[in-house]
Amino acid sequence: MGELDGVWEVKRTGGALPPLLGVRKEISGPAGTTNVGPLPVPFDVVGVSLRYRAPFVGFVDVLERDEQGYRGRAMFGGREFGKFELRRIKTGGEMASDQLKEQLVKHIDEAYAMEQNVLRMLDGMIETTEDLEIKNELREHKLETERHAERIQQRLEAHSATPSMVREAGGIAGALLKSVLDLTRGEKAGRNARDGYATEHLEIASYQLLERIAQRAGDEETAEVAGQNRKDEEAMAKKLDAHWDKFAELSLKEEGVTVY
């Protein structure tokens, strides 16, 4: 971790620089950004110089260590036009921890949207499945999926986050479109099984990833929830695996094909 890594508050001390209220510099390794409101201005770290990238090529911040942080000279074309000081707000470790938490919350959010999508898919599959044994298994899995979504939502709330309506809306739209297609196509059993089987393995993979990210973020409760949900999905995938002969027979029957 570099000496400059972290989040720094920027304060003008002289020259032609503006007041710099709310301006922050975030530095990680060989690169960083000067954040002016929502606008990040990227730069490369070369020694104790911050060399800005296009379209700000030619601007360089030259830093010098002092007792409280760094003093800086804002340069353009080799000429100084302002002075500032940097005071560290967060260390590099703290910044990395924040970034890890942000990624964890993103993956929890995506898992919640995925479960909402699956609930809508299951509604369509239950509606279009005529075999009572399979229909009952799908209904049981819907109840299980509702529990999965509830657990994941609780983990979002534990991080003071709420579900992203953009991701959820996209997932629901896809599931509803599939439900409409299910109602219009003739062969339902086999394709429902195929789509369900693929979805179960997508969920398994998503929870494998979430579990490991949660462990690296030190969130054992989320890791445990991801592991519980994954095991349920693996069990459902095994149930589907046991019915492929029946799915094939039902598919052919729906299309009026008799196999002797």
Side-chain angles (χ1 to χ4, degrees):
M1 188 172 295
E3 182 183 357
L4 290 171
D5 283 9
V7 180
W8 302 83
E9 182 180 40
V10 186
K11 181 180 178 181
R12 175 187 177 275
T13 57
L17 288 171
L20 303 179
L21 295 175
V23 174
R24 302 283 188 271
K25 291 186 187 291
E26 294 187 12
I27 302 174
S28 179
T33 58
T34 297
N35 300 322
V36 184
L39 177 66
V41 182
F43 55 75
D44 294 313
V45 179
V46 181
V48 288
S49 297
L50 313 179
R51 300 181 181 274
Y52 287 85
R53 301 174 186 170
F56 299 103
V57 173
F59 286 91
V60 180
D61 292 338
V62 179
L63 306 179
E64 180 181 349
R65 184 77 172 162
D66 67 15
E67 293 181 356
Q68 295 179 305
Y70 285 89
R71 294 189 299 273
R73 294 183 293 134
M75 315 283 288
F76 179 74
R79 301 184 64 179
E80 179 181 310
F81 66 90
K83 294 183 179 181
F84 60 92
E85 61 183 21
L86 298 182
R87 297 295 177 255
R88 197 192 300 269
I89 301 171
K90 295 181 181 179
T91 65
E94 290 170 332
M95 186 172 72
S97 178
D98 287 347
Q99 292 171 338
L100 181 55
K101 180 180 177 181
E102 181 181 336
Q103 288 300 308
L104 172 60
V105 170
K106 183 185 77 171
H107 282 274
I108 298 172
D109 183 27
E110 289 175 350
Y112 180 79
M114 175 181 67
E115 294 293 3
Q116 295 301 314
N117 188 1
V118 171
L119 282 171
R120 273 66 182 186
M121 287 183 65
L122 286 168
D123 283 338
M125 294 170 75
I126 291 168
E127 178 69 22
T128 57
T129 297
E130 296 179 2
D131 184 88
L132 290 180
E133 181 186 1
I134 296 172
K135 187 184 285 280
N136 286 335
E137 287 188 358
L138 290 172
R139 285 172 175 159
E140 289 178 8
H141 191 52
K142 182 181 177 183
L143 293 174
E144 196 171 60
T145 300
E146 289 171 346
R147 290 195 295 272
H148 293 175
E150 183 178 356
R151 290 172 188 163
I152 290 295
Q153 185 172 4
Q154 289 171 352
R155 296 316 303 153
L156 272 178
E157 292 170 354
H159 287 280
S160 301
T162 55
S164 165
M165 295 309 295
V166 173
R167 288 197 185 99
E168 184 179 342
I172 291 171
L176 290 177
L177 176 59
K178 180 188 181 303
S179 296
V180 172
L181 292 173
D182 285 344
L183 292 170
T184 58
R185 68 192 184 190
E187 182 214 334
K188 301 179 182 69
R191 293 185 181 183
N192 274 347
R194 178 200 63 192
D195 296 344
Y197 191 73
T199 300
E200 291 303 324
H201 284 84
L202 173 62
E203 291 184 275
I204 291 166
S206 296
Y207 281 126
Q208 289 276 21
L209 186 59
L210 174 58
E211 184 175 1
R212 284 156 178 77
I213 290 175
Q215 289 170 342
R216 283 158 176 75
D219 184 351
E220 291 302 325
E221 289 179 290
T222 296
E224 184 178 349
V225 165
Q228 289 174 340
N229 288 2
R230 172 179 53 79
K231 288 177 183 177
D232 289 343
E233 307 301 353
E234 289 171 342
M236 185 60 187
K238 288 181 180 178
K239 287 181 181 179
L240 290 171
D241 246 341
H243 287 304
W244 284 115
D245 286 336
K246 176 179 278 192
F247 294 141
E249 291 171 7
L250 290 172
S251 293
L252 293 172
K253 183 178 178 181
E254 288 170 352
E255 293 297 299
V257 177
T258 303
V259 178
Y260 297 98

